[in-house]
Amino acid sequence: MTVTDTCERVLLVQAEFDGELDAAQAANLQLHRAQCSVCQSAEQELTRARELLREIPYQTTPDAVRERVLAGLDAVRPKPDLSPARPRFSSRFYSWRHSTMGFALGSACAAALAFLVLSPAEQSLTEQVIAGHVRALQPGHLEDVLSTDQHTVKPWFDGRIDFAPPVKDLGSAGFPLKGGRLDYIDGRPVAALIYQRDKHVINLFVWPTTRDGLSAPEFAERNGYNVLHWVENNTDLWAVSDVAPDQLRKFVSNWQRSP
Amino acid sequence: MPTGDVLALSRKDSFEVVVLPHLDAAHNLARWLMRDAEAAEDVLQDAMVRALTYFPTFKGINSRGWLLQIVRNAAYGSMKVNRGIQMVPIAISEEDHSGTVADIPSADDDPEASLIKARDRCHVRQLISALPIELRETLVLRELEELSYKEIAEVTRTPIGTVMSRLWRARRRVTQMAAEQGWKG
């Protein structure tokens, strides 16, 4: 059936069809439509159009296109600075360290992991590692080297970054190593180690720091992603995942215990 | 993903969180606007780089609409540059189903019915590809991206009244052509 005559309200019929009318407008239209054959057939035609259009496929991005697009984005991002003296990073680090020193004093008796208020500099790092984690979950972006063997993953980073990240297999604790990847955090290349917990992915971002010793892991949560950050032997470590916080803590304590 | 929460965080650092999840929407629009896979990829690439560049100045809350607007601008820009080349409607072949979701008939469909469905899908695709661009983009944004009239008006920089009449014309054309050809759909 097609609409031969015209009625000025067919666009209102369409608006109702598209859920754009409020209840009062819809009720008004209802009264009119009961007596208007043009509007009645307009509605049939709209239903028919939607039936036909339901058949057309949504054109998701093919993996190859996605990869090329992401590579194109990487190419226009600011290049990471590989020189050891990086004033921007050091000043960030300095302010971050100050904010945590107060925390260390105050929390001497509070041994439990604190939901501490992160300084702006660290907040941005937290967001960056989450963004890195989310991006890694896009198809084809999780790992550059796919191996469950730490002796394969560790040498893979040789020559790709200016430090040798610690790589541990935690398979016996239920966190098998899946592979490694190069990522960029805070404008520098970092190592990302990929672990699995059941169906969840845990990304562990690793980069060197001037801070020595072992710090208590600090917890943060953003948009359903959990982050634990700690420092160990001049290495900054950030574990990011959508696993429950206690699982992530378990992962970190296993990592710290593992030789 | 709760866009509002994300935007409360530092925008510059979270392009991946705010914009990248809409890559499929961007690709879908580019693909329907350009009709040719290669041209669509160029537009998508161009649009994503523009989005990354403009991202620090993005102040809205509707990041998908914002990205689709950039895709549309990139597509129109590309058509302007390549006028006479890209504007020629390109017939979509039966084989050209790369990157589509609904290609594989489900196991519980009967084979003949899914064959007919696949053929009709192809016909409807051709039909939409043949629509003038202003009708095509409005229809795709409404039926595939499920944007509201207001959002479509913003993406296409068109008054809402015009959006409504374009949508009506696009849908009528689809049903009329289908009726003429006796498609089942």
Side-chain angles (χ1 to χ4, degrees), chain A residues 56 175 185 205 251:
Chain A
I56 57 171
F175 299 98
I185 303 288
F205 296 92
F251 169 78

Side-chain angles (χ1 to χ4, degrees), chain B residues 20-169:
Chain B
L20 222 46
H22 305 304
L23 183 64
D24 278 343
H27 177 264
N28 185 53
L29 181 62
R31 195 69 184 76
W32 281 110
L33 286 179
M34 300 309 293
R35 297 184 283 210
D36 167 70
E38 207 175 309
E41 183 176 338
D42 288 347
V43 163
L44 181 66
Q45 182 77 70
D46 180 18
M48 293 308 289
V49 168
R50 286 191 206 185
L52 181 66
T53 312
Y54 303 151
F55 189 58
T57 62
F58 170 60
K59 291 190 171 56
I61 38 166
N62 185 351
S63 53
R64 187 164 64 126
W66 178 75
L67 181 62
L68 291 176
Q69 195 172 48
I70 295 175
V71 170
R72 180 178 177 272
N73 288 345
Y76 274 68
S78 157
M79 284 183 273
K80 210 170 175 183
V81 170
N82 301 308
R83 186 172 298 170
I85 302 169
Q86 302 297 345
M87 289 302 283
V88 179
I90 295 159
I92 294 169
S93 72
E94 296 268 351
E95 290 76 26
D96 183 18
H97 281 288
S98 57
T100 57
V101 192
D103 287 347
I104 304 150
S106 67
D108 46 11
D109 275 351
D110 92 82
E112 198 187 352
S114 41
L115 195 70
I116 291 169
K117 263 192 176 173
R119 203 193 54 208
D120 286 349
R121 190 159 57 224
C122 188
H123 286 157
V124 178
R125 241 170 105 125
Q126 283 179 350
L127 203 157
I128 294 168
S129 291
L131 288 176
I133 193 158
E134 71 275 11
L135 300 189
R136 184 160 20 110
E137 66 182 2
T138 313
L139 193 64
V140 166
L141 290 173
R142 174 65 214 148
E143 290 291 342
L144 291 180
E145 295 302 338
E146 298 182 351
L147 296 193
S148 69
Y149 290 179
K150 186 166 172 289
E151 288 171 319
I152 298 173
E154 282 164 7
V155 171
T156 60
R157 296 166 197 259
T158 306
I160 285 191
T162 310
V163 169
M164 290 165 77
S165 62
R166 282 180 180 171
L167 197 50
W168 174 244
R169 270 154 56 209

Side-chain angles (χ1 to χ4, degrees), chain A residues 88-100 117-129 185-186 207 222 229 236 238, chain B residues 10 13:
Chain A
R88 180 169 150 267
F89 185 76
S90 333
S91 65
R92 268 187 178 206
F93 174 75
Y94 184 74
S95 66
W96 176 81
R97 186 171 174 172
H98 260 258
S99 75
T100 50
V117 182
L118 299 170
S119 70
E122 183 162 10
Q123 221 169 38
S124 131
L125 276 178
T126 306
E127 281 148 29
Q128 287 187 43
V129 293
I185 303 288
D186 205 44
W207 65 85
R222 297 275 193 291
H229 168 227
D236 238 322
W238 298 74
Chain B
S10 165
D13 292 334

Side-chain angles (χ1 to χ4, degrees), chain A residues 38-114:
Chain A
V38 174
C39 285
Q40 285 162 20
S41 42
E43 191 165 30
Q44 286 170 15
E45 202 160 358
L46 288 165
T47 309
R48 170 76 177 135
R50 185 152 289 172
E51 270 171 22
L52 285 164
L53 294 167
R54 227 176 13 218
E55 299 296 328
I56 57 171
Y58 193 89
Q59 314 237 19
T60 53
T61 323
D63 283 351
V65 174
R66 180 185 293 268
E67 263 167 48
R68 286 194 291 271
V69 167
L70 292 177
L73 289 178
D74 279 344
V76 298
R77 277 174 206 270
K79 290 280 176 289
D81 185 356
L82 288 169
S83 61
R86 275 168 288 117
R88 180 169 150 267
F89 185 76
S90 333
S91 65
R92 268 187 178 206
F93 174 75
Y94 184 74
S95 66
W96 176 81
R97 186 171 174 172
H98 260 258
S99 75
T100 50
M101 243 154 40
F103 164 74
L105 288 170
S107 65
C109 53
L113 299 176

